[in-house]
Amino acid sequence: MNLRRLGKTGLTVSELGFGAIPIIRLDTAEAIKVLRRAYERGITFYDTANAYRDSEDKIGQAFQGMRDKVVIATKTGLRDGKGALAHLENSLRMLRTDYIDLYQLHQVSQDRDWEALTAPGGAMEVLVKAQEQGKIRHIGVTSHNRQMALKLVRTGHFSTIQFPFNFIEDAAKDDLFPAARALDLGILAMKPFAGGMIDNAALAFKFLRQHPDVLAIPGYDSVQSVDQIVSFYDSPNMVTDDDLVAMDRYRQELGMQFCRRCEYCQPCPHGVMITPAMGYQVLAKRMDPPVAVEFLRRPMETVPNCVACGACVKKCPYDLPIPEMLKKHYDMWERHRIETGR
Ligand code: SF4
Ligand code: SF4
């Protein structure tokens, strides 16, 4: 595994990172196995968050006694100082450490987030103090909104920026990443599979490896998934004309208005299972309608409960018109259901 410098943090990290969301669903023993396998295969950068439930505890257990061998990044989604400090103290405890290498403000996608973070008594104040005390080595930020991310990069407050990046959502390479590079920020790429929409891992990493200073942090849910993804980094990278055609096919199929399955919009107060229902169209193409109709029956049957209250829309970082999109997916499901007699 090659090593890289993570921007002005000066940290040396593996060229491939570890995103901790999938280890939430593993039991602790299995999660530790996966984390240790990743370390054995050369991965030294681990990204988690207060929001990723017990993943900090699992990382803390996996790397107890070898803290200096790994670089740990975590996050708080709180905007007020008191809450952010409580999250930080909890992360230190769960991770069994007295310092966090990179502490990130989680999903800062709106101006009102930034205003709250920088207000007197806001989280920024507390994090800067924690950095002076050595509890945090570097401060970073994550966002799903490119204009906001550009603003955040330019504030000069951060050492890293974490943003979605994959061959479907690649706009960051034209403005956000050059701006980050100019200020020597480390760049972290979340959502290498576009929230599950890219089901060809080899193709996903062929694209990502074209951007060697962008640290991809895919999630892993098994020892096999670690071995598979690491194997992509074992050989020189080649993107063929056929690969480019295949990437284009995905782009055309999805367009830009698609659900990334981040689940920030949930729960719906009316019981709509938003995330699975938003994936019906793609699933129907991949699985064939008769299978897809049955596979998503339960979530699709919740869609008529939607009263278009808009609560989910306010929480979606991609500004998706969720009620309209749900209706389109539902109409398609209903048509397929009738056509296939199910
Ligand atoms: S708009 Fe519909 S899906 Fe969204 S929160 Fe309201 S009821 Fe639920
Ligand atoms: S609708 Fe938006 S917030 Fe909800 S899962 Fe999809 S991308 Fe995320």
Side-chain angles (χ1 to χ4, degrees):
M1 178 76 59
N2 293 317
L3 299 175
R4 299 263 181 272
R5 172 180 168 273
L6 186 62
K8 64 179 163 187
T9 67
L11 292 164
T12 299
V13 296
S14 49
E15 63 179 331
L16 173 67
F18 188 111
I21 293 179
I23 63 168
I24 297 170
R25 61 175 181 264
L26 304 182
D27 66 36
T28 302
E30 194 55 33
I32 290 173
K33 238 193 252 173
V34 173
L35 286 157
R36 291 212 178 127
R37 181 66 173 178
Y39 178 75
E40 283 161 20
R41 298 298 310 262
I43 295 177
T44 60
F45 183 86
Y46 295 82
D47 181 74
T48 181
N50 177 279
Y52 304 166
R53 295 183 221 152
D54 63 356
S55 66
E56 290 179 321
D57 182 47
K58 288 164 173 165
I59 292 172
Q61 290 194 50
F63 300 132
Q64 203 161 10
M66 47 183 288
R67 176 67 185 90
D68 58 327
K69 304 278 191 272
V70 291
V71 172
I72 296 180
T74 189
K75 321 179 185 79
T76 177
L78 294 183
R79 309 313 189 204
D80 67 298
K82 208 170 152 207
L85 184 59
H87 272 188
L88 170 61
E89 298 292 354
N90 187 59
S91 293
L92 291 167
R93 219 172 21 254
M94 291 294 117
L95 291 161
R96 294 157 175 78
T97 183
D98 54 6
Y99 69 96
I100 307 286
D101 296 287
L102 175 64
Y103 200 73
Q104 301 157 100
L105 295 171
H106 202 168
Q107 214 216 335
V108 182
S109 293
Q110 309 286 338
D111 282 321
R112 62 171 181 268
D113 294 322
W114 184 235
E115 282 155 21
L117 286 161
T118 49
M124 267 320 276
E125 223 174 73
V126 162
L127 297 192
V128 168
K129 198 160 166 217
Q131 189 177 25
E132 286 162 10
Q133 293 167 340
K135 292 180 182 174
I136 293 173
R137 296 270 157 94
H138 306 280
I139 301 176
V141 66
T142 84
S143 181
H144 290 73
N145 175 324
R146 212 164 87 248
Q147 290 318 313
M148 190 66 206
L150 261 170
K151 266 195 211 175
L152 293 164
V153 161
R154 289 174 179 147
T155 62
H157 285 290
F158 301 108
S159 299
T160 61
I161 175 78
Q162 184 175 149
F163 197 77
F165 190 56
N166 53 67
F167 65 74
I168 296 170
E169 302 164 271
D170 64 350
K173 72 180 179 357
D174 300 323
D175 48 17
L176 179 61
F177 292 174
R181 278 184 199 111
L183 295 164
D184 199 21
L185 268 72
I187 303 172
L188 306 171
M190 63 169 115
K191 306 215 183 302
F193 304 119
M197 292 297 163
I198 298 171
D199 57 2
N200 182 335
L203 197 62
F205 287 97
K206 277 188 175 190
F207 168 81
L208 289 166
R209 289 186 67 201
Q210 301 296 303
H211 305 270
D213 66 341
V214 175
L215 174 61
I217 43 173
Y220 309 81
D221 61 2
S222 64
V223 164
Q224 292 74 18
S225 65
V226 171
D227 287 342
Q228 185 203 26
I229 295 178
V230 171
S231 75
F232 298 139
Y233 284 74
D234 283 345
S235 49
N237 193 27
M238 281 271 298
V239 175
T240 64
D241 287 346
D242 284 350
D243 292 330
L244 294 174
V245 170
M247 290 179 200
D248 257 347
R249 215 176 293 128
Y250 275 91
R251 289 185 193 109
Q252 280 162 20
E253 182 178 301
L254 290 166
M256 280 319 288
Q257 217 178 54
F258 65 95
C259 170
R260 279 75 166 179
R261 304 195 207 179
C262 65
E263 305 213 337
Y264 289 126
C265 55
Q266 315 238 39
C268 160
H270 298 273
V272 179
M273 295 169 70
I274 302 172
T275 313
M278 292 283 275
Y280 182 74
Q281 189 179 356
V282 172
L283 204 86
K285 268 193 197 156
R286 300 228 169 110
M287 278 187 165
D288 286 339
V291 186
V293 163
E294 282 309 323
F295 193 77
L296 288 185
R297 180 181 289 279
R298 210 172 128 242
M300 296 318 289
E301 284 179 345
T302 66
V303 174
N305 297 343
C306 175
V307 296
C309 68
C312 55
V313 178
K314 284 189 202 127
K315 291 190 271 180
C316 176
Y318 303 99
D319 294 325
L320 296 180
I322 297 172
E324 290 90 342
M325 290 178 74
L326 281 173
K327 179 152 187 343
K328 270 192 208 152
H329 287 284
Y330 182 80
D331 289 348
M332 182 185 277
W333 178 78
E334 183 66 355
R335 184 162 43 80
H336 288 163
R337 191 182 67 74
I338 293 165
E339 281 168 7
T340 57
R342 283 160 197 269

